[in-house]
């Protein structure tokens, strides 16, 4: 009789354990999805705040050769759309030709003095031609290449210490 009770108890325990594991496995993916959706919504909110605070527009590109070293110049217009002065802004640009990325550039800019609220400034980034991949060099040296810049927000820091971080 004791053996029967022991076997029954072990069988019942195994049944409970199996059902508990299955229940956990069923709820885990939905919880993970909910966490991912919450993180995505939070990132969307930060991106919206970033875009309401600062505007980044690629305005022109050029090619210069100081000291016989070709340098690509990438000029942006940075607009402070917010109410606080901007100390720094950081973004990544994907330079594309025919919807194909040919070059990525991480662009951190520190303003000295800060960029006042409601003001715009032109910023030029110089990139030695030799740093670009071969295919990108061909496009950046061609006057006929239609290169566009798709910008991805990273962060903006204000002089009051506040910061909006969209991506690291």
């Amino acid at each position: 009789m004791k053996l029967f009770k022991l076997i029954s108890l072990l069988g019942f325990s195994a049944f409970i354990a199996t059902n508990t594991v299955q229940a956990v496995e069923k709820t885990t993916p939905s919880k993970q999805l909910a966490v991912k959706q919450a993180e995505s919504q939070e990132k969307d909110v930060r991106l919206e705040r970033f875009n309401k605070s600062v505007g980044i527009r690629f305005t022109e590109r050029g090619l210069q050769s100081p000291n016989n070293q070709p340098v690509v110049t990438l000029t942006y217009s940075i607009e402070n759309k917010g109410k606080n002065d901007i100390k720094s802004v950081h973004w990544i640009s994907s330079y594309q030709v025919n919807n194909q990325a040919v070059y990525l550039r991480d662009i951190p800019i520190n303003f000295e003095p800060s960029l006042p609220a409601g003001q715009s400034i032109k910023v030029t980034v110089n990139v030695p031609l030799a740093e670009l991949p071969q295919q990108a060099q061909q496009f950046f040296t061609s006057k006929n290449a239609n290169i566009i810049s798709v910008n991805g927000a990273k962060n903006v820091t204000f002089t009051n210490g506040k910061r909006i971080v969209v991506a690291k």
Side-chain angles (χ1 to χ4, degrees):
M1 187 73 161
K2 286 185 180 183
L3 180 61
F4 178 72
K5 283 184 181 179
L6 181 62
I7 291 173
S8 297
L9 184 60
L10 286 175
F12 183 70
S13 297
F15 174 75
I16 296 293
T18 303
N19 285 340
T20 303
V21 168
Q22 288 175 350
V24 168
E25 287 176 354
K26 287 180 184 176
T27 59
T28 302
S30 64
K31 285 183 182 179
Q32 289 174 346
L33 180 61
V35 168
K36 285 182 181 179
Q37 287 175 340
E39 288 172 354
S40 177
Q41 288 173 347
E42 183 180 325
K43 187 174 182 179
D44 289 346
V45 168
R46 291 187 308 236
L47 178 59
E48 186 177 324
R49 286 180 50 219
F50 181 96
N51 288 334
K52 285 182 178 179
S53 299
V54 64
I56 302 168
R57 193 168 46 89
F58 181 58
T59 57
E60 64 182 290
R61 68 179 170 90
L63 187 64
Q64 298 179 356
S65 293
N67 303 325
N68 292 328
Q69 299 293 325
V71 174
V72 174
T73 58
L74 307 166
T75 304
Y76 289 86
S77 175
I78 311 297
E79 178 187 4
N80 184 345
K81 299 179 191 177
K83 298 176 183 174
N84 298 312
D85 293 356
I86 294 177
K87 180 178 177 181
S88 66
V89 65
H90 190 175
W91 74 93
I92 188 164
S93 286
S94 170
Y95 301 95
Q96 301 179 359
V97 176
N98 298 326
N99 292 327
Q100 292 288 333
V102 295
Y103 180 61
L104 292 173
R105 182 76 181 188
D106 194 55
I107 305 175
I109 302 291
N110 293 311
F111 296 107
E112 278 298 323
S114 61
L115 179 59
Q119 299 290 314
S120 295
I121 190 170
K122 293 236 183 235
V123 174
T124 300
V125 177
N126 295 321
V127 182
L129 187 63
E131 284 186 16
L132 299 175
Q134 188 64 38
Q135 181 186 22
Q137 288 182 24
Q138 293 171 353
F139 290 120
F140 279 97
T141 56
S142 169
K143 291 184 180 183
N144 297 327
N146 184 22
I147 300 173
I148 63 167
S149 174
V150 178
N151 302 317
K154 284 194 156 188
N155 64 65
V156 61
T157 304
F158 302 97
T159 56
N160 65 3
K162 291 185 179 179
R163 192 168 187 217
I164 301 170
V165 178
V166 178
K168 293 184 181 185

